[in-house]
Amino acid sequence: MTSDFEAQLRAVSLRVTRPRLAVLAALRDHPHVDTDTMIALVRADLPTVSHQAVYDVLRALTDAGLIRRIQPAGATARYESRVADNHHHVVCRSCGAIADVDCAVGHSPCLTASNDHGFVVDEAEVVYWGTCPDCATERSPQWSASSEGNK
Ligand SMILES: [Zn+2]
Ligand SMILES: [Zn+2]
Ligand SMILES: [Zn+2]
């Protein structure tokens, strides 16, 4: 496993360091974590790593394309190691839970804009907003009553 991560780092000419390996391992097991969670996960393995070191690793890996930074409106930035497939996310308005939504397996139809205005498009940012199953279960009893009260 670790050697996979080493190979990934070498493939983009990044030096193999323990914090970089720890971040990649954490993202494999915990997709869509925010920076604070990432720091806690890395420190569980490497207690002496500083916040700044984790920030630096996240930036280096994002710049190299090994990880992807996503930031749904109004939410803190999250990171994931599933990159380059232009998949989208469904986000719960209530608790912030995030799940992956495939663009289309093997394709990225959203990248073919109906009119690209001459731009070279490399990412289509699509966020589906809604209520996750847990929150929907919690809320359903008062759903009809509360929906009337909103502006
Ligand atoms: Zn939720
Ligand atoms: Zn994702
Ligand atoms: Zn799509």
Side-chain angles (χ1 to χ4, degrees), residues 5-141:
F5 298 139
E6 290 180 7
Q8 282 185 35
L9 289 168
R10 294 211 175 91
V12 294
S13 307
L14 283 181
R15 212 155 46 82
V16 175
T17 65
R18 296 191 67 196
R20 285 172 180 169
L21 294 174
V23 165
L24 288 171
L27 283 179
R28 178 195 54 206
D29 298 334
H30 307 272
H32 313 130
V33 293
D34 62 21
T35 307
D36 288 346
T37 307
M38 177 54 72
I39 289 168
L41 289 168
V42 170
R43 284 189 165 173
D45 266 355
L46 307 170
T48 58
V49 171
S50 68
H51 286 224
Q52 190 58 48
V54 175
Y55 292 131
D56 291 347
V57 168
L58 288 170
R59 190 175 328 108
L61 296 182
T62 304
D63 290 348
L66 289 185
I67 66 174
R68 178 179 175 196
R69 182 181 191 273
I70 57 167
Q71 187 160 24
T76 53
R78 315 289 188 99
Y79 294 87
E80 64 183 348
S81 52
R82 182 180 163 184
V83 295
D85 64 353
N86 198 65
H87 75 271
H88 308 308
H89 295 99
V90 59
V91 184
C92 177
R93 288 185 195 283
S94 182
C95 70
I98 297 184
D100 286 339
V101 178
D102 288 342
C103 194
V105 180
H107 301 279
S108 301
C110 291
L111 288 181
T112 308
S114 53
N115 179 353
D116 62 17
H117 300 277
F119 287 49
V120 177
V121 176
D122 60 31
E123 179 177 357
E125 185 177 282
V126 178
V127 180
Y128 301 94
W129 292 94
T131 306
C132 76
D134 287 348
C135 292
T137 310
E138 251 169 53
R139 273 193 189 179
S140 49

